[in-house]
């Protein structure tokens, strides 16, 4: 085993957390690394200096963690994810290092405002929604519970787009989060790997030996590593997030440049830079599809080469790889890693096929995040074979092994064989990445109890039959540091005042708060914290949008990726129906309500973008109508990201978790809202089911069809038109939208969108509308009894401790990775 440090060289003394020494460190960074005098330093200069000073202290713990892992020969977890929605890191690091008081004292000495400079830190544009945020929570929790881990992803230059709203429409602009560099990261020039595409495969036959296959690629580029330390709670461990950037092997073709083709001379650099520029390039065209597949292979190959290099460096050979390495696939995006591992083991490390497959399956695990068949990626065989000729050979070889073995099993029908094949033969032949991830892993987990059972019955039905022990459940969780302690300091202080500090280390200790739910004094203090958070959100909306909202109204919030199955459309239609009711019955005692929306639509997802436009059109009409008397407002907040969520979630009174039952794998937004004292209005979908079990059905507002009822309705020839015609409020709202009441400039704008509800209503908007509207009036009734509302809100916070990502990671480490 290699030595980690030279015993003859003394290790530097760890940096002090003392406020005076911290102030001196910040000043030193400002002068010698930022290159500014305090007289001329701007807030962004101070931000960089503070980050660099804090980074030094994180690095002390980072080196200590790395040394400990090497010396113990510990098993490492490698978490492969196309997204890491990490958000701003400064407050996270300060909090987990327990340096909040010290940094505030240090900055006071320097006459610098932490709130002002922390607000300047850009959000890393490395993710889209729940998938990426879960990966970020898991990275923090792996460090917190002392699991040695690396996260692997792509260092997107622009990442997910920056969303602006122009005349109500989503406009995608580049998110320039790296424009001024990233002071948290370390460039690892020595960790560089060649990544190849295209070409051909040569066979080399030597007498008496198995033939060898040599990939002769047509394109080559380099992957370079950038490391960001991820510090756990109380700095018990610091792990590594390693992101890959693409570079050309020949950055400039001098012969072309000298011949006058100055643009063509840079084509290799352009091709490499394009690969890591944008997260989820629009895939409505073949070029976009190919780019996305290239991205997935690029980061998977670089990560595996790095993992195998590190393992051989420490242990000498690969014979004990499954005992020392656990590789986890976060959804199907990195599924090609299974085939790349086979290529590396067989072609580079001379391991026989059967042994390589056994090692691969024992090393890999896979989390499925969706029941939507279209999200279980498939790729056209010609495209895959053109980019990865050697991998295609291996896919066919693996497929032969699997299908021949499956055929021997009792009850193996032709249809079952077709469904487990790595190649979809129904129409255009396509490579099934979900099947590759399943069959190449020893563990396949869902992310909520309901989702896991539905996986067995739907998308992986036949695979589950031949491998009945592989599927298991690991319900998602959230890090309580980011989603309670940091984003809601007022509530955290209040909880500490009444139950002490134990919940900071064990979130399930929040249960002690239950005893105070009916305490009127505590209710008042709890309510006061919520009012402060609502005032903060009201101010943010006023500053960004110029819209005034009343903090005394119900803040009814739906924030998530815009998608038809998440049913923002149901929420908007109910708002239109409520608008009609308020105007028609001004004599009724309506509860003031602000409906807040935020989220991004995929650039090529027409209906999702149309829903954003509809939300803004409805807001324009309702918010300007004096007949509403301010009782209802609609607000769409652009460019939703982690920092925006950190303001919106603590301010929420009502959390909208209204997906079509059976279609949301888990959700984590539902958990974040509930732990911050919001009541959930939702369907029995995803983790809502388990939340109901922990929180109590009486402390949520559940409505609508169950997953079984949705499936049965679809099977029985569900007729939405009949339902719509039988619901006065729904039919009037749909008529208003489709006829142009909210789109005077283009009366037919929403005709097709609403027509889809009449014609097929796959997402059961009409089927659930009346139940949803009734549930909203139930919410009004609870709100009018402030004591009852506060009791329920407090019980939500008190009973959400189990939904910590620390608990989830301990389950992964114990049951899947063998890393605790």
């Amino acid at each position: 085993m290699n030595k980690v440090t030279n015993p003859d060289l003394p290790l530097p003394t760890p940096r002090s957390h003392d406020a005076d020494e911290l102030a001196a460190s910040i000043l030193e960074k400002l002068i010698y690394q930022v290159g500014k005098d305090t007289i001329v330093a701007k807030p962004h200069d101070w931000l960089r200096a503070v980050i660099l000073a804090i980074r030094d202290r994180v690095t002390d713990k980072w080196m200590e963690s790395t040394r400990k892992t090497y010396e113990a020969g510990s098993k490492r977890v490698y978490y492969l994810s196309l997204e890491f929605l990490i958000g701003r890191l400064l407050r996270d690091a300060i909090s987990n290092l327990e340096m909040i008081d010290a940094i505030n004292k240090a900055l006071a000495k320097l006459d610098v405002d932490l709130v002002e400079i922390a607000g300047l830190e850009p959000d890393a544009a490395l993710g889209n929604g729940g998938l990426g945020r879960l990966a970020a929570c898991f990275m923090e929790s792996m460090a917190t519970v002392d699991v040695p881990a690396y996260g692997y992803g792509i260092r997107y230059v622009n990442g997910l787009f920056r969303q602006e709203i122009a005349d109500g429409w989503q406009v995608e602009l580049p998110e320039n989060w790296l424009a001024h560099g990233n002071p948290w990261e370390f460039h690892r020039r020595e960790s560089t790997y060649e990544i190849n595409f295209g070409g051909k495969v040569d066979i080399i036959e030597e007498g008496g030996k198995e033939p060898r296959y040599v990939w002769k690629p047509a394109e080559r580029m380099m992957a370079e590593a950038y490391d960001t330390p991820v510090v756990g709670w109380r700095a018990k461990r610091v792990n590594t997030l390693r992101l890959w950037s693409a570079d050309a092997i020949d950055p400039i073709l001098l012969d072309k440049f000298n011949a006058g083709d100055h643009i063509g001379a840079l084509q290799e650099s352009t091709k490499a830079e394009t690969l890591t520029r944008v997260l989820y390039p629009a895939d409505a065209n073949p070029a976009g599809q190919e780019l996305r597949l290239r991205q997935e292979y690029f980061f998977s190959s670089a990560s595996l080469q790095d993992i195998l290099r590190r393992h051989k460096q420490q242990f000498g050979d690969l014979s004990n790889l499954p005992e020392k390495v656990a590789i986890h696939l976060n959804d199907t995006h990195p599924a090609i890693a299974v085939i790349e591992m086979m290529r590396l083991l067989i072609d580079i490390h001379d391991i026989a096929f059967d042994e390589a497959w056994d090692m691969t399956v024992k090393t890999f695990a896979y989390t499925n995040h969706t029941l939507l068949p279209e999200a279980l990626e498939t790729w056209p065989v010609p495209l895959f074979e053109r980019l990865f000729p050697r991998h295609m050979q291996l896919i066919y070889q693996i497929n032969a092994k699997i299908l021949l073995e499956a055929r021997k099993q009792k009850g193996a029908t032709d249809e079952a064989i077709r469904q487990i094949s790595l190649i979809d033969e129904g129409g255009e032949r396509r490579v099934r990445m979900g099947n590759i991830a399943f069959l190449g892993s020893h563990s396949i987990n869902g992310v909520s109890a309901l989702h896991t059972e539905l996986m067995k019955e739907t998308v992986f039905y036949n695979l589950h039959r031949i491998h009945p022990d592989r599927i298991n459940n690991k319900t998602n969780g959230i890090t309580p540091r980011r989603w309670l302690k940091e984003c809601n300091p007022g509530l955290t202080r209040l909880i500490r005042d009444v139950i002490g500090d134990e919940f900071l280390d064990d979130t399930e200790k929040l249960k002690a708060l239950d005893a105070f739910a009916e305490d009127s004094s505590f209710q008042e203090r709890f309510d006061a914290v919520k009012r402060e958070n609502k005032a903060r959100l009201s101010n943010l909306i006023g500053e960004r949008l110029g819209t005034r909202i009343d903090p005394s109204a119900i803040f009814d919030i739906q924030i998530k990726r815009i998608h038809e199955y998440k049913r923002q459309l149901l929420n908007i239609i109910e708002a239109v129906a409520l608008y009609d009711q308020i105007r028609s019955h001004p004599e009724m005692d309506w509860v003031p309500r602000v409906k807040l929306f935020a989220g991004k639509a995929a650039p090529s997802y027409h209906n999702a973008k149309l829903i954003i436009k509809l939300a803004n059109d409805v807001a324009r009409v309702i918010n300007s109508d004096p007949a509403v008397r301010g009782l209802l407002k609609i607000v769409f907040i652009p460019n939703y990201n982690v920092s925006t969520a950190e303001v919106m979630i603590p301010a929420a009174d009502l959390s909208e978790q209204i997906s079509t039952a059976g279609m949301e794998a888990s959700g984590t937004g539902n958990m974040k809202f509930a732990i911050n004292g919001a009541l959930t209005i939702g369907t029995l979908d995803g983790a809502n089911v388990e939340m109901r079990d922990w929180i109590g059905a009486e402390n949520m507002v559940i409505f609508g069809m169950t997953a079984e009822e949705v499936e049965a309705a679809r099977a029985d020839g569900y007729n939405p038109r009949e339902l719509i015609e039988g619901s006065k409020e729904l039919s009037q709202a749909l008529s208003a939208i489709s006829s142009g009441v909210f789109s005077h400039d283009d009366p037919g704008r929403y005709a097709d969108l609403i027509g889809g509800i009449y014609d097929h209503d796959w997402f059961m908007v009409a089927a659930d509308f009346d139940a949803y509207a009734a549930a909203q009036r139930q919410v009004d009734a609870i709100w009018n009894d402030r004591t009852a509302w506060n009791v329920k809100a407090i019980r939500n916070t008190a009973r959400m401790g189990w939904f910590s990502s620390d608990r989830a990671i301990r389950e992964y480490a114990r049951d899947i990775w063998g890393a605790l």
Side-chain angles (χ1 to χ4, degrees), residues 417-665:
I417 295 294
R418 279 194 292 270
Q419 290 302 319
I420 68 172
S421 174
L422 303 185
I423 308 295
D424 182 358
E425 303 279 358
E428 179 192 35
R429 297 170 69 245
R430 301 179 73 90
V431 181
R432 290 171 164 153
M433 306 311 289
N435 286 21
I436 288 173
F438 187 109
L439 290 162
S441 301
H442 67 277
S443 168
I444 296 87
N445 72 277
V447 288
S448 73
L450 174 63
H451 168 235
T452 300
E453 291 309 306
L454 290 174
M455 278 170 54
K456 297 175 184 177
E457 297 168 10
T458 57
V459 291
F460 293 137
Y461 173 75
N462 288 292
L463 287 165
H464 175 59
R465 288 186 66 193
I466 65 170
H467 293 292
D469 299 328
R470 288 194 185 181
I471 293 181
N472 61 94
N473 180 57
K474 297 290 175 281
T475 297
N476 281 344
I478 57 171
T479 167
R481 271 74 59 182
R482 174 70 67 121
W483 296 111
L484 177 61
K485 184 174 183 289
E486 293 167 38
C487 77
N488 203 339
L491 181 55
T492 303
R493 284 192 298 270
L494 175 58
I495 296 170
R496 295 178 75 177
D497 283 349
V498 296
I499 66 169
D501 288 348
E502 288 187 19
F503 76 96
L504 296 174
D505 295 293
D506 180 0
T507 317
E508 293 196 49
K509 299 292 186 183
L510 282 171
K511 191 69 171 62
L513 206 62
D514 236 344
F516 296 87
E518 298 187 28
D519 182 310
S520 58
S521 173
F522 182 75
Q523 288 177 15
E524 288 178 10
R525 296 171 68 191
F526 190 90
D527 200 38
V529 169
K530 182 67 72 173
R531 286 197 303 271
E532 289 174 6
N533 291 331
K534 291 171 74 172
R536 180 168 64 134
L537 176 57
S538 299
N539 292 335
L540 180 143
I541 290 170
E543 292 166 7
R544 288 193 188 177
L545 304 176
T547 302
R548 292 181 59 191
I549 60 174
D550 181 4
S552 67
I554 293 180
F555 278 18
D556 174 352
I557 302 183
Q558 187 174 17
I559 45 177
K560 49 186 78 241
R561 180 166 50 95
I562 309 297
H563 196 291
E564 288 170 281
Y565 90 81
K566 294 179 183 288
R567 297 203 298 191
Q568 287 92 351
L569 185 56
L570 174 62
N571 194 347
I572 297 166
I573 293 168
E574 196 277 330
V576 171
L578 179 58
Y579 169 55
D580 286 339
Q581 285 288 307
I582 290 171
R583 291 189 301 170
S584 301
H585 298 283
E587 77 286 357
M588 292 181 65
D589 185 20
W590 296 104
V591 171
R593 183 184 291 254
V594 180
K595 279 184 173 284
L596 294 148
F597 297 87
K600 296 177 180 179
S604 56
Y605 192 171
H606 172 73
N607 275 6
K609 297 176 85 166
L610 200 58
I611 289 168
I612 292 175
K613 174 61 173 171
L614 176 60
N616 284 291
D617 277 350
V618 170
R620 174 179 47 79
V621 172
I622 292 178
N623 295 353
S624 61
D625 189 338
V628 178
R629 295 167 288 137
L631 291 168
L632 177 62
K633 280 204 170 179
I634 314 291
V635 179
F636 188 96
I637 300 176
N639 204 40
Y640 177 60
N641 56 21
V642 175
S643 298
T644 305
E646 288 169 345
V647 179
M648 295 184 76
I649 287 170
D653 295 305
L654 189 66
S655 162
E656 296 271 355
Q657 307 299 330
I658 60 175
S659 55
T660 310
M663 301 193 76
E664 183 72 85

Side-chain angles (χ1 to χ4, degrees), residues 46 60 533:
W46 285 110
D60 288 331
N533 291 331

Side-chain angles (χ1 to χ4, degrees), residues 364-385:
F364 278 91
Y366 159 54
T367 295
N368 172 271
H369 285 278
T370 182
L371 298 172
L372 300 176
E374 64 270 21
L376 293 174
E377 291 181 317
T378 64
W379 299 105
V381 167
L383 169 64
F384 206 100
E385 194 155 27

Side-chain angles (χ1 to χ4, degrees), residues 21 80 100 104 227 297 326-327 374-375 385 503 516 520 528 542 647 686 744 787:
E21 293 193 34
L80 273 61
I100 293 174
N104 280 321
D227 287 356
Y297 176 72
I327 302 175
E374 64 270 21
E385 194 155 27
F503 76 96
F516 296 87
S520 58
V647 179
H744 298 293
T787 298

Side-chain angles (χ1 to χ4, degrees), residues 1-5 66-67 69-71 73-74 76 78 150 152 190-193 242 304-321 324-325 349:
M1 188 181 298
N2 288 2
K3 294 290 185 182
V4 181
T5 59
T66 303
R67 287 191 292 269
T69 301
Y70 266 97
E71 288 162 5
S74 301
R76 282 190 177 87
Y78 297 101
Y150 270 72
Y152 280 111
E190 72 283 2
S191 296
T192 301
Y193 302 95
R242 174 161 286 187
L304 291 186
Q305 291 183 65
D306 195 45
I307 291 166
L308 295 182
R309 184 271 309 163
R310 183 178 297 107
H311 184 84
K312 286 195 71 173
Q313 176 182 306
Q314 184 169 6
F315 297 105
D317 62 47
L318 299 178
S319 60
N320 63 343
L321 185 72
K324 294 298 181 180
V325 168
H349 297 283

